[in-house]
Amino acid sequence: MKPSLSKLQKFFRLEAQRNYDNRAVFGGLQRSLQNWDAEARADGLGEDLVNCITSKLRNYEKLMPRERGKTLIDIWLRIERETGIRSKGQRSRTKPAARKPASKSPSPPGPLSNKAGEGGIPDKGEAKKQTKIKEKRTSVSFRPHAEGESAALEAPTTVLNGVGPVNAERLEKLGIFTLRDMLYHFPRRYDDYSQQVRIRDLRYGMEVTVIGEVKRISKRQGKGRRFMTEAIVQDESGALRVNWFNQPWMIRNLDIGNQIVLSGKGDQYLGRLTMNNPEWDLLDKEQLHTNRIVPVYPLTADLGQRWLRGLMNRVVTHWAPRIPDPLPTSVIESANLEPLSEALLQAHFPDSQEEIQAARQRLAFDELFLLHLAVLQQKQVWQGQAAQRFDAPQDWLDAEIARLPYQLTGAQKRALADLLKDLDSGRPMNRLLQGDVGSGKTVVAALCMAAVTRTGAQAALMAPTSILAEQHFASLRTLMVGQGGLQPDELRLIIGSTPEPEKVEIRAGLQDGSIKVVVGTHTLIEDPILFSQLELVVIDEQHRFGVGQRAALRAKGTNPHLLVMTATPIPRSLSLTIYGDLDLSIIDEMPPGRQEVATHLLLPRERERAYKLIRREVEAGRQAFIIYPLIEEGETSEAKAAVDEQKRLKKEVFPNLKVELLHGRLGAEEKDKAMAAFRDGKAQVMVSTTVIEVGLDIPNATVMLVEGANRFGLAQLHQLRGRVGRGAEKSYCILIPDHEDAAENERLQALLETNDGFILAEKDLEQRGPGQFLGRQQSGFLDFRLASLSDARLIDKARRHAEQLLAVDPALSQPEHRELAAAVKNYLSDGKGDLS
């Protein structure tokens, strides 16, 4: 068969397998005419036949699938009549193939046959022995699954031809275990090689495609074991030198006379244009790596891009059209989304940049929509439960507020009203109390605990660190003990360092109800603690805790009220997703007397200026923090950095001052001793790691010096800055990055421009992502592949459609929502559902 007809047969067969969607050739069948007609004339085909074929294919994209199939059959029958060729496997020139196609489109004869063994996909009922597939585009082999095609997506990658145990293990490093995982392993970027030029028109730096004939090819060995394969490729306009470095196998892949498609960037050597390490395809084969928008996938060691791209193409082109779409048609239409099958195809092997955007928008919507359905259903469940009611009579509340050592701000009063309304609603409170550092969240929580304990019920407060738990305990003792409140032994602290005899005593008091309020760390859930009547759970700095930890504490009671507090300003996009099942109260007003902290950015060589400021403040009777970063994530390296610097500062910089040390590896007694010394003014400088990020309240501290500031997130730096400025004196925050890097210093510049924690949190989320923002424990359920938590518009859109759907079908019990309900159930069963 002549090369031009063989190529046409290839295109037609691919079209038949794809049910005539006009995607067998990048850009559509009509695009193949750009080169095909010249090849056909060179092969000696008659002018009338060439003109007939080209005229029919020019209108191909305008036809319906059924009409397209008939057109291709008509074209091929004419080819057979005029050339006398016969197609391998053809039974008849007029009868369709025995195996019915997936759609109602007509099945063409021999050359377009879609039956297994001729390029098709084997049916579930075919022989268990894997069928050899000839056509690469759809050659996915899998073992039959009795559960049906959808269940086959859970098959391991080893069911694919060419994936043995070794390659399967390599794929697992990419998070690919099943065929479904492959569908959702998206490209990290795309190389756009869709612009095709003649060799003469190639210019330096252009990323384009050229097509030519291999005129010469050779390889030579360079220094060491380096190889270079060099080819001369020529078209009608000129010749091009092409080099492949360290790819000695290229000499076996190409022969002189091959028509080759090259895609890459124009380069230059000794004044002559070249292409170095371009992607390549043979012209008569499918152009998967060239002449199109080419996906570039994340890789791991010993996995090649071409091999993985070919494997992905086999899986995606077969399975994407067959995957069930969990979104109901109503949502797809009202949200103006691509069908899932089309989105998966275009996300991997797109036809245009616009198709990439539409596909990724659909797939990102799916991730956010599923999360919103999960949190909103959780909220429905929570709101449907009953809880004990606790009222706060106005005279009692006025008396409690009157004995506070300070006036409540308007924002505190509004937040308190929200919380007390929840406590008296008859359903469990499920609220997030958000306020910047020093805004006064603890006193609001204390008043709520008092409203619960006045009736004899119990409350528990869990904090992420012993230091913060101890400080909360001290604050609550001041706010709640005496003057008609709790007795001293009704408020207790339990942390890891609490002596075992005392722990036994506390457990007994909680079980018999004699202890009304307990403050602790994760010890509260790890110890075999039982409560008599736990009715209020307060969790501080909740992003430090994992989902399971919060659920475990809540399970200590029967539908207890839940109050979650954070001093980290949460961007709206995060609050709509992670905290979408929580009601929100914000304390956005600082107590009177709090001054804005003056923030400055110094270069490393200007460090002595910061030391002079510290000496000046200490001479005036004030104190300073010096913070060192967590190097990577090991506590050993964290402690070492602080220890070494404390010794240096004590010896060389502040020899006449008392310099204390605080870090996470110190024992509880050592931490207490260091903090007490600093709190009581016996030490002037505290060298520390981020263990002081939250909770530590030293009004006399006026300087916060942060070394290696570029290693911290903006939200974390804002937290550290909040450790000073808590007294009446002017305070300073000095940021010193590791080096004079313009980009990082530009990022830190945001701290100088605003003291608004919400603005900084938004920037931090954009720059570092939710994993860095929330910490590793909390961010596991936000492992989005395509969705971005900074895309507020898409988040709003997904939530709005989730609310509308649940308003119609709260339990997702309607038949058309069956797939969606299963998806939500799977999402929740992965431990991602308890988001509160």
Side-chain angles (χ1 to χ4, degrees):
M1 188 184 296
K2 296 180 184 297
S4 59
L5 294 180
S6 179
K7 181 188 292 186
L8 204 61
Q9 183 188 50
K10 172 95 167 183
F11 293 160
F12 285 12
R13 183 176 291 168
L14 288 172
E15 269 296 288
Q17 291 167 356
R18 296 181 59 86
N19 296 319
Y20 311 104
D21 64 354
N22 199 24
R23 296 188 189 280
V25 178
F26 181 74
L29 270 186
Q30 63 278 4
R31 181 165 178 170
S32 68
L33 301 174
Q34 295 176 358
N35 299 304
W36 182 85
D37 55 352
E39 295 175 32
R41 292 185 177 95
D43 283 342
L45 294 186
E47 191 67 24
D48 287 345
L49 179 58
V50 172
N51 289 336
C52 171
I53 294 171
T54 55
S55 64
K56 285 180 178 291
L57 291 183
R58 282 196 184 98
N59 295 320
Y60 186 78
E61 64 178 337
K62 300 176 183 178
L63 303 177
M64 298 297 290
R66 188 176 186 86
E67 296 169 326
R68 289 174 182 172
K70 185 176 184 303
T71 298
L72 298 191
I73 293 172
D74 291 344
I75 290 174
W76 197 258
L77 289 175
R78 177 163 178 172
I79 290 172
E80 289 182 343
R81 285 195 305 271
E82 296 196 16
T83 63
I85 65 172
R86 293 291 183 272
S87 301
K88 182 181 178 182
Q90 180 180 350
R91 297 186 180 187
S92 165
R93 292 185 181 180
T94 56
K95 291 182 180 180
R99 180 176 179 266
K100 292 182 179 179
S103 75
K104 295 181 180 179
S105 302
S107 181
L112 313 187
S113 175
N114 197 30
K115 65 179 181 178
E118 298 245 351
I121 303 301
D123 285 329
K124 293 183 292 180
E126 291 181 15
K128 292 185 179 179
K129 181 179 179 181
Q130 293 183 359
T131 305
K132 182 178 179 180
I133 306 301
K134 292 183 178 180
E135 298 298 344
K136 293 183 179 181
R137 178 133 184 124
T138 55
S139 57
V140 180
S141 296
F142 63 92
R143 298 185 182 96
H145 284 251
E147 296 87 346
E149 282 196 329
S150 181
L153 283 169
E154 308 309 324
T157 57
T158 49
V159 302
L160 298 169
N161 287 335
V163 181
V166 174
N167 279 335
E169 189 173 334
R170 292 168 180 165
L171 289 171
E172 287 174 4
K173 293 178 181 178
L174 295 172
I176 299 174
F177 296 87
T178 67
L179 300 184
R180 188 184 300 276
D181 293 335
M182 295 193 72
L183 286 179
Y184 287 88
H185 181 73
F186 297 115
R188 59 183 174 86
R189 63 179 173 85
Y190 303 86
D191 290 333
D192 191 347
Y193 297 138
S194 58
Q195 182 185 355
Q196 184 179 321
V197 301
R198 294 178 299 177
I199 289 176
R200 183 180 65 189
D201 298 326
L202 178 64
R203 296 291 182 268
Y204 178 81
M206 291 174 62
E207 286 197 347
V208 293
T209 292
V210 298
I211 298 176
E213 182 180 343
V214 179
K215 291 297 186 181
R216 191 174 74 215
I217 185 164
S218 60
K219 74 171 183 177
R220 65 174 185 267
Q221 188 168 355
K223 294 181 180 179
R225 301 180 65 182
R226 291 174 62 86
F227 284 89
M228 183 176 79
T229 303
E230 180 182 272
I232 302 298
V233 177
Q234 181 177 317
D235 68 3
E236 73 280 359
S237 71
L240 176 69
R241 186 183 302 274
V242 183
N243 302 310
W244 287 277
F245 299 102
N246 288 328
Q247 299 180 43
W249 57 86
M250 286 300 301
I251 198 78
R252 300 190 300 271
N253 291 333
L254 299 176
D255 294 320
I256 293 174
N258 282 156
Q259 292 288 326
I260 186 174
V261 185
L262 298 169
S263 293
K265 182 180 289 188
D267 211 334
Q268 206 168 33
Y269 179 70
L270 298 178
R272 296 186 62 184
L273 278 173
T274 67
M275 265 193 178
N276 293 325
N277 293 324
E279 294 282 4
W280 65 277
D281 284 306
L282 294 175
L283 183 59
D284 62 348
K285 304 294 183 183
E286 184 196 1
Q287 290 159 27
L288 180 61
H289 312 286
T290 60
N291 204 23
R292 64 181 300 156
I293 299 175
V294 177
V296 180
Y297 290 97
L299 295 175
T300 187
D302 301 317
L303 273 186
Q305 187 65 240
R306 285 177 69 91
W307 181 85
L308 181 58
R309 189 182 296 135
L311 190 69
M312 295 296 298
N313 185 57
R314 290 161 53 194
V315 173
V316 171
T317 53
H318 175 64
W319 280 111
R322 291 164 171 80
I323 192 169
D325 195 330
L327 263 62
T329 305
S330 59
V331 173
I332 294 173
E333 292 176 352
S334 62
N336 193 25
L337 300 172
E338 291 261 319
L340 180 59
S341 296
E342 183 69 11
L344 287 169
L345 283 168
Q346 294 295 329
H348 288 281
F349 299 99
D351 292 332
S352 66
Q353 295 291 343
E354 293 74 21
E355 291 284 8
I356 294 174
Q357 295 305 315
R360 294 174 77 90
Q361 184 88 347
R362 161 65 206 262
L363 296 165
F365 178 92
D366 283 5
E367 293 177 327
L368 294 167
F369 186 68
L370 193 61
L371 174 61
H372 283 310
L373 286 175
V375 297
L376 290 171
Q377 281 197 320
Q378 287 291 97
K379 188 171 186 176
Q380 287 178 347
V381 171
W382 189 253
Q383 289 178 332
Q385 296 175 338
Q388 185 170 336
R389 301 180 63 159
F390 297 95
D391 67 335
Q394 194 60 48
D395 55 347
W396 171 85
L397 183 60
D398 290 342
E400 289 293 306
I401 293 175
R403 65 187 187 85
L404 294 175
Y406 40 73
Q407 293 281 327
L408 294 181
T409 64
Q412 284 175 309
K413 291 177 181 177
R414 289 191 295 272
L416 178 61
D418 290 342
L419 272 59
L420 292 177
K421 183 179 179 181
D422 288 349
L423 290 175
D424 196 25
S425 68
R427 61 178 179 85
M429 175 199 295
N430 204 31
R431 186 170 291 274
L432 172 66
L433 179 59
Q434 183 177 341
D436 215 337
V437 176
S439 60
K441 298 179 297 298
T442 303
V443 65
V444 174
L447 289 167
C448 288
M449 286 190 264
V452 169
T453 57
R454 63 185 285 271
T455 66
Q458 294 170 301
L461 189 155
M462 185 165 71
T465 66
S466 295
I467 292 175
L468 188 51
E470 290 165 358
Q471 186 161 305
H472 275 307
F473 177 68
S475 298
L476 293 180
R477 190 166 49 194
T478 301
L479 295 169
M480 300 184 71
V481 174
Q483 300 184 27
L486 298 179
Q487 297 300 312
D489 58 356
E490 291 180 319
L491 171 65
R492 301 298 292 271
L493 172 70
I494 183 168
I495 55 179
S497 61
T498 303
E500 187 58 32
E502 188 177 344
K503 285 183 178 178
V504 171
E505 178 189 336
I506 294 172
R507 290 187 202 116
L510 291 172
Q511 189 167 2
D512 65 24
S514 58
I515 295 176
K516 303 302 180 187
V517 177
V518 62
V519 180
T521 57
H522 56 271
T523 305
L524 284 174
I525 56 176
E526 289 181 353
D527 272 5
I529 292 178
L530 298 175
F531 289 81
S532 171
Q533 190 186 354
L534 179 62
E535 295 292 349
L536 174 61
V537 172
V538 181
I539 298 176
D540 193 26
E541 289 309 322
Q542 71 89 44
H543 64 283
R544 301 295 189 88
F545 292 106
V547 170
Q549 290 175 310
R550 296 194 299 276
L553 181 56
R554 197 164 64 184
K556 297 282 185 177
T558 303
N559 296 339
H561 297 278
L562 176 68
L563 173 62
V564 169
M565 301 194 302
T566 181
T568 303
I570 306 297
R572 183 175 181 274
S573 57
L574 269 181
S575 65
L576 278 177
T577 49
I578 312 168
Y579 312 118
D581 59 333
L582 296 174
D583 298 315
L584 179 64
S585 292
I586 298 176
I587 301 179
D588 54 3
E589 184 181 349
M590 299 301 286
R594 287 297 301 270
Q595 296 191 34
E596 192 170 288
V597 178
T599 307
H600 302 276
L601 178 64
L602 299 183
L603 299 177
R605 64 174 182 269
E606 299 176 299
R607 185 174 282 107
E608 183 56 37
R609 291 177 57 191
Y611 293 157
K612 286 181 179 179
L613 173 65
I614 291 174
R615 293 190 193 100
R616 188 191 76 190
E617 290 296 300
V618 169
E619 286 175 4
R622 294 181 277 276
Q623 296 164 286
F625 290 103
I626 303 180
I627 307 301
Y628 290 89
L630 200 81
I631 302 173
E632 307 228 334
E633 58 183 350
E635 286 190 348
T636 302
S637 55
E638 170 198 357
K640 185 176 184 297
V643 169
D644 289 349
E645 286 302 304
Q646 188 247 7
K647 290 178 180 176
R648 183 186 69 84
L649 291 168
K650 195 172 182 178
K651 181 178 179 181
E652 301 174 13
V653 182
F654 307 117
N656 301 320
L657 303 182
K658 173 70 172 169
V659 182
E660 273 294 344
L661 175 66
L662 181 66
H663 58 74
R665 289 181 60 83
L666 292 176
E669 290 186 8
E670 293 174 293
K671 289 178 187 175
D672 288 343
K673 183 178 178 182
M675 289 177 61
F678 194 62
R679 181 192 60 217
D680 297 340
K682 296 177 182 177
Q684 292 81 39
V685 178
M686 172 70 83
V687 174
S688 178
T689 57
T690 55
V691 71
I692 61 96
E693 178 186 344
V694 293
L696 197 61
D697 188 5
I698 310 292
N700 194 47
T702 57
V703 179
M704 170 63 67
L705 169 59
V706 183
E707 291 277 5
N710 53 292
R711 295 175 179 266
F712 299 88
L714 297 180
Q716 194 173 31
L717 289 170
H718 182 62
Q719 293 283 306
L720 290 169
R721 177 167 62 182
R723 296 302 105 210
V724 297
R726 306 175 76 86
E729 305 297 334
K730 183 173 178 58
S731 296
Y732 307 86
C733 178
I734 311 298
L735 308 174
I736 302 181
D738 286 333
H739 45 79
E740 301 178 18
D741 185 277
E744 286 182 341
N745 289 355
E746 182 180 337
R747 183 177 70 86
L748 296 176
Q749 195 73 28
L751 270 295
L752 281 62
E753 296 169 355
T754 181
N755 270 273
D756 189 321
F758 285 92
I759 293 175
L760 293 171
E762 291 282 2
K763 289 180 178 290
D764 212 13
L765 181 62
E766 292 173 11
Q767 294 170 355
R768 288 156 57 88
Q772 292 280 357
F773 189 92
L774 293 166
R776 295 191 173 190
Q777 285 179 302
Q778 176 77 0
S779 64
F781 62 89
L782 292 178
D783 290 335
F784 294 140
R785 298 174 187 268
L786 295 179
S788 169
L789 286 175
S790 59
D791 190 346
R793 183 174 299 177
L794 188 61
I795 288 170
D796 281 338
K797 180 178 179 179
R799 186 175 181 87
R800 184 173 68 254
H801 282 86
E803 289 172 338
Q804 291 170 356
L805 184 64
L806 291 176
V808 174
D809 185 10
L812 298 179
S813 57
Q814 296 177 8
E816 62 269 29
H817 301 152
R818 188 179 297 116
E819 289 281 353
L820 190 57
V824 174
K825 183 178 179 180
N826 289 338
Y827 189 86
L828 296 175
S829 68
D830 286 341
K832 299 173 181 177
D834 187 358
L835 307 182
S836 56

